[in-house]
Every structure is written in structure tokens, then in C-alpha cells.
Amino acid sequence: MPLDQDKPLNSLGFAKHPSETRVVVAMSGGVDSSVVAAMLAEEGYDVVGVTLQLYDHGAALAKQGACCAGLDIHDARRVAETMGFPHYVLDYENVFKDAVIDEFADSYLGGATPVPCIRCNERVKFKDLLETAKDLEADCMATGHYIQRLSGSEGPELHSAADAARDQSYFLFSTTREQLSYLRFPLGHLPTKDETRALAAKYGLSVADKPDSQDICFVPNGDYASVIRKLRPEAAAPGDIVDTAGTVLAQHDGVINYTIGQRRGLGIGGLSDPLYVVKLDADSRQVVVGPKSMLATRSVPVREINWLGDAPFDSQPEWHLAVKVRSTRPPTDAILRPLSATTATVELVAAEEGVSPGQACVFYDRDSSRIFGGGWIHKG
């Protein structure tokens, strides 16, 4: 339907009445996406709730605080019934396995520390589900992510959430400009999660007090090794724990049981200084350990860059921004030196410890809440 420019914009940015605006809400079964759906339904939008069934194994069926399986699908359906809008469940198990789970296993075996939640947003929710929303003739798709989409001189921009404690920008850096034009994030402006739960209680939603998800959704008890062992039985092959000179210090029962920066559980005693995992070599089945100083780095190779700046990424030799090299760390000052439109070397002004291949490097404006995209850290 063409927009009537004489009408004021509704809360989703369209110049038409909410009842004439169809919005697909991606519903995981948690409180955040449930509140988004209920809020938009109360405002009079033509809401369609869609939940993706992404996995369905073992303890996940009965696990509280996961998403996209078992009880969580049931919770999403109950919210739709409460608020009176249609709800659909789409079986995406095969897509999720091919696009997310298999790469997660292979990356771990390759000595990386993958972030499957980013790949899920990039390859499933903001790709296949977004296309489904368009097939349903929706004007936009809304999610419960804590991030902001603000208007800029060159189009919509990605900005950090108002609540820094809930900000999910690290997990959404790969959102493209085209996707951003279609997406809406109604919770990004809320000052705290308490406001979200208060809204859930106001709408009478059964998920108002539901705990937040803590683990990767397809890892029921946070035990990555057991999941990878099922997917890749060869991953449990034993090997040596060696120092940087190659001296064998101990044995291990699979590189999947270790992560970069790990200190405890190495089974190495009698040393004057503690040792940390500084490298995982899956091909030789070696866990390499060394002093803490070896974990610090200032040069970070980054690839698969999604750039959200106004000028092309490779249009200048340097970008002075702030970056996050791990989701739990604050942004730190850095200089980005493009090697191509999608690759760069990131020089950290202050060295960071435990920078690991497989993690994301996300770019932030030093002087505002704007996010300029990011890329994937690799071995170089």
C-alpha cells in the first residue's frame, strides 16, 4: 500500500494507521519478544507472531530459559492467544543445523571460539525469517533485541541500547543496511529490563517472570564439549599439552575441552608461575600453554566485515573507532586499517588479553552510540 505523506508516522515509522500496518514479530518464547508482540498488538498493529523451531534434542525440551524449542514454543503460542493475534511455528531445524550448529562444531575443532548466536541472527533470523515476513506481506519485522535503529542522514543507523547492561550490539553487528531498513527494535530505548517485565505484567503475560536465557540455545547445560562430541566423535581424541617450545607437560582428553586464556583444569602442577592456554592446534591435537603475557595482543586480523558507515570502508586508510573483541568487555580505542572492502587489521591502542579467533570484533563510534558494523577475528 502506498504511503500517504500527509499522515503522521506511526510508532514503526509508516505513514498509515497501525491497523493497516502488518508487522511480523520474531517470537522466541521469552519475555522480550513476547512484550514486543503484546505492545504492538495493543497499539492496534496487524501483528503476526512467528516462532522458529531450531532444535529439539534431549534436555532442551524441558529446559527453562532457552529459546526456539519445547516449552518456549508453547509460551509464545500462549502469548499470541492472550493478545489475540495469529501465531505460526516454522520448522527450521535443518537450516539451523547447516547454517549454525555444524559451523560451531567445526570452528571449535579448528581451535576457534565461535559465537553461534551471531551466526543465527545473520543466517537464519535476519535472513530466512525476514524473507518469510516479506512473503507474508508484512511492512516490517520486529524483534525483542536490545538495540536501537535511529534515522540518519544516509538512512537508518544501528545504535547501542539505552541500557548498557542489556545492549546486544555485539551479537547484531552483521545486520546489513538492507535488513536494517526492514527491522524494528521496540525495546532498545527502555532504560532497564525492569520496564520490560513491568510491561509483561501489565499485559497479563504468563512469561512476565520467566528467567532470561543464559546459555547457547542448543547447549542445554552450558556443556559445549558434550554437544561437539556427539556431532564430531573424533573431537575427543587425546593429545599433548605442550609449552611454547614443544615440551610435553601433560596429556589431555580432547582439545574441545579447552579455551584460549584457560588457566584451571590443565593438570600441570609444581610450576612457579601459572600457565594459560595460548593456542589450540586441532590438527596436531596439541594444547599449547604459556605465561599470561602471551595472551596480550594489539594486532587483530579481521575478515567478513559488515560496514555500516556512511562512506565505503576502504575509502580511507584508517578509521579511528572503538572496538569490542569480546561480548563481555567494554569498547576500547583502536585504529582500523582496511586491507579490502571486507578485511582489515585492527590495531588496539592498549593490548587485550585472550583475543581469540572465532570471536567478533565490533566497531563503535567513540563519541556516540552508533555502531559501524564489525567482522570476525581470524588467525591471520
Side-chain angles (χ1 to χ4, degrees), residues 43-240:
E43 290 181 30
Y45 286 98
D46 179 10
V47 172
V48 178
V50 176
T51 299
L52 301 182
Q53 179 170 315
L54 300 180
Y55 66 98
D56 190 8
H57 63 77
L61 283 173
K63 180 191 174 189
Q64 290 286 350
C67 71
C68 309
L71 292 175
D72 300 284
I73 292 175
H74 175 67
D75 288 341
R77 184 178 293 117
R78 288 180 64 189
V79 169
E81 291 173 351
T82 298
M83 298 304 299
F85 59 81
H87 174 257
Y88 301 97
V89 179
L90 305 180
D91 184 351
Y92 271 47
E93 286 190 42
N94 290 336
V95 172
F96 186 66
K97 182 179 184 299
D98 293 343
V100 179
I101 296 180
D102 284 345
E103 183 188 70
F104 171 80
D106 293 338
S107 295
Y108 229 100
L109 289 182
T113 307
V115 191
C117 297
I118 298 176
R119 289 301 196 192
C120 181
N121 289 326
E122 173 188 322
R123 296 177 174 178
V124 182
K125 293 178 181 176
F126 289 178
K127 182 174 179 286
D128 293 340
L129 178 54
L130 191 144
E131 289 304 315
T132 297
K134 291 181 178 179
D135 290 341
L136 291 171
E137 299 183 340
D139 294 281
C140 64
M141 186 174 90
T143 79
H145 289 106
Y146 287 87
I147 197 165
Q148 297 189 81
R149 173 191 182 275
L150 302 178
S151 297
S153 59
E154 303 298 322
E157 300 174 351
L158 203 61
H159 285 252
S160 299
D163 180 2
R166 307 297 306 180
D167 177 61
Q168 292 176 293
S169 58
Y170 185 86
F171 301 98
L172 297 170
F173 81 85
S174 61
T175 305
T176 66
R177 286 185 174 276
E178 182 181 3
Q179 292 167 345
L180 191 57
S181 68
Y182 192 70
L183 290 164
R184 300 294 188 274
F185 309 107
L187 302 183
H189 69 286
L190 295 182
T192 70
K193 180 63 175 273
D194 291 340
E195 278 73 10
T196 304
R197 294 198 180 278
L199 286 170
K202 169 189 169 183
Y203 300 132
L205 304 183
S206 58
V207 296
D209 296 319
K210 186 174 182 177
D212 292 336
S213 175
Q214 298 297 326
D215 302 319
I216 295 173
C217 66
F218 58 88
V219 184
N221 300 306
D223 186 356
Y224 300 177
S226 66
V227 171
I228 297 171
R229 196 176 291 113
K230 291 177 182 177
L231 295 168
R232 304 288 188 272
E234 70 278 11
D240 297 326

Side-chain angles (χ1 to χ4, degrees), residues 243-244 260 276-279 288-297 352-354:
D243 63 18
T244 53
I260 301 294
Y276 299 78
V277 175
V278 298
K279 181 182 178 183
V288 184
V289 296
K292 188 176 184 180
S293 59
M294 291 192 66
L295 292 172
T297 185
E352 288 266 347
E353 293 180 356

